[in-house]
Amino acid sequence: MRATSDFRSDTVTRPGAAMRAAIAAAEVGDDVLDGDPTVRALEARAAAWLGKDGALFVPSGTMANQVALGAWTKPGDELIVERDAHVVRWEAGAAGFLHGVQSATLTGDRGALDPEEVRATIRPDFIHSPRTALVCVEQTHMGSGGSVVPLGNLRAIAAVARERRIPVHMDGARLANAVVASGVAASEFAACADSVSLCFSKGLGAPIGSVIAGSSDFLERAKVVRKRLGGWMRQSGLIAAAALYALEHHVERLADDHALAKELARCLHGLPGLACPPERIETNLVLVQVTHRDFDGAGLAAKFKEHGVLVSALSPRALRFVTHLDVGREDVERVARAARSILGVS
Ligand code: TLP
């Protein structure tokens, strides 16, 4: 049994022996001067998986999103985005800070924007209005607990945006989870967007790295933004090798994480003051609503820690458990035991 069972995020995984061997064996070069061969291989492989012309390797999912925003917008522009999206809630105001753009936020239904609301939010061509420069979608949608935004909805959003010649960016940090959960190809989801980010350091289990993919025209502009943000790295083949390994070996196994997340929800749902209906768990995130009269989210997380379980308190009323490569059935059993002990259930 591990000393702690870490459910805070799927970002916590550590590379195993085979991934470390791939890192050690990586052929590298100076990516800025000559192109690093392993980075190029990863970019080509990710672009093919996403059905895009190309992809750029960047250090993080946040940078992938911000490279896209910088490539699509000008200061004074506006983007349309779901109110709980990572780009507005979790990137420290980067859209305004880095690019001078503001966000028109809409409330989604488990991450899905209403196409008619998007249409109504697009600004008219009017001197007093900001220009609507971008629509952002997120797949899977983190804020609603890893829900898969349906392909039909993404297509409808893309149709509305394209009518008005507005590009769509997809934050696909956990796109691979959506692919495995739905059976829809990554390229089908990605076809609904003009740029797509994809993270290797979440459920795919690599230590570092994301890509931002799109058309050749988009990538020309994106390269300049990556350069400005300091995201063009040198012998980055070392980390790209881990990402390549992850893309080759860790996609299908995400189904195990999804099954484990459902199992975890079954253990917790209905305990006093906790709700996380298992039928709502679609991928590897379990959002638990906390309505206990003695504990808020942070209080419960502290109690879980005493039992060797690490979990994130996303708000006073919500805990988030995330399943990944480095937790298994015995860790879920530990959560169940801990919860019963904390809540006094025999
Ligand atoms: N999300 C992290 C935290 O920032 C909340 C997590 O633990 O879930 N898009 C989405 C949808 C994400 O969930 C994240 C990371 C990112 C982008 C940013 O990725 P990084 O952390 O690599 O910058």
Side-chain angles (χ1 to χ4, degrees):
M1 187 70 160
R2 286 176 259 262
T4 52
S5 299
D6 196 345
F7 288 94
R8 288 172 302 167
S9 183
D10 45 8
T11 58
V12 301
T13 58
R14 293 179 187 144
M19 186 180 276
R20 285 173 190 264
I23 296 169
E27 204 188 315
V28 297
D30 186 322
D31 197 45
V32 177
L33 290 182
D34 316 308
D36 175 293
T38 309
V39 169
R40 288 205 171 159
L42 172 69
E43 290 173 341
R45 172 93 204 231
W49 194 65
L50 294 167
K52 298 294 184 200
D53 291 349
L56 299 181
F57 190 44
V58 291
S60 68
T62 300
M63 192 182 286
N65 284 336
Q66 293 304 323
V67 164
L69 262 55
W72 290 123
T73 65
K74 295 196 300 284
D77 284 347
E78 182 168 74
L79 52 102
I80 298 176
V81 60
E82 209 279 332
R83 65 198 276 258
D84 282 328
H86 200 276
V87 284
V88 284
R89 262 196 78 178
W90 293 90
E91 298 187 7
F97 182 81
L98 296 171
H99 313 299
V101 298
Q102 65 185 36
S103 302
T105 55
L106 306 181
T107 302
D109 176 10
R110 290 178 66 70
L113 296 170
D114 174 350
E116 285 317 310
E117 213 183 339
V118 171
R119 189 195 302 280
T121 307
I122 295 173
R123 303 283 184 179
D125 186 7
F126 184 45
I127 189 146
H128 297 277
S129 301
R131 180 183 75 119
T132 303
L134 188 64
V135 176
C136 286
V137 293
E138 189 175 297
Q139 182 70 304
T140 62
H141 185 253
M142 203 264 280
S144 59
S147 47
V148 179
V149 182
L151 182 60
N153 173 264
L154 292 171
R155 285 185 171 150
I157 301 294
V160 166
R162 281 170 190 159
E163 253 171 48
R164 299 289 297 274
R165 297 180 183 282
I166 296 168
V168 176
H169 170 65
M170 179 181 290
D171 176 346
R174 296 189 179 84
L175 181 63
N177 296 81
V179 167
V180 169
S182 65
V184 173
S187 57
E188 291 277 302
F189 282 133
C192 303
D194 302 281
S195 59
V196 182
S197 62
L198 171 71
C199 289
F200 303 107
S201 61
K202 309 244 158 16
L204 296 180
I208 307 165
S210 296
V211 285
I212 176 72
S215 68
S216 306
D217 276 0
F218 163 78
L219 292 170
E220 281 314 304
R221 298 194 307 281
K223 267 183 195 162
V224 178
V225 185
R226 178 179 67 169
K227 173 69 200 169
R228 287 184 179 143
L229 296 180
W232 200 2
M233 298 173 282
R234 302 289 178 169
Q235 286 74 15
S236 35
L238 286 180
I239 52 177
L244 252 182
Y245 183 91
L247 201 49
E248 277 161 17
H249 297 93
H250 290 168
V251 174
E252 297 309 321
R253 64 149 307 284
L254 290 172
D256 301 342
D257 296 347
H258 301 170
L260 198 65
K262 239 187 208 308
E263 183 66 41
L264 193 147
R266 269 190 220 108
C267 294
L268 296 182
H269 182 57
L271 290 179
L274 302 186
C276 48
E279 65 279 6
R280 288 178 77 100
I281 308 302
E282 296 179 63
T283 58
N284 67 328
L285 310 186
V286 180
L287 272 193
V288 184
Q289 297 309 318
V290 179
T291 53
H292 201 280
R293 64 190 157 84
D294 299 331
F295 297 112
D296 63 1
L300 260 186
K303 280 281 170 201
F304 270 113
K305 196 170 178 187
E306 289 172 15
H307 291 260
V309 172
L310 304 183
V311 56
S312 302
L314 284 198
S315 76
R317 293 271 153 244
L319 286 183
R320 186 187 72 166
F321 289 83
V322 186
T323 56
H324 51 76
L325 259 169
D326 290 359
V327 288
R329 183 167 280 273
E330 65 285 3
D331 298 287
V332 167
E333 284 162 8
R334 180 189 246 171
V335 171
R337 278 197 307 276
R340 289 176 166 273
S341 157
I342 296 164
L343 299 168
V345 178
S346 52

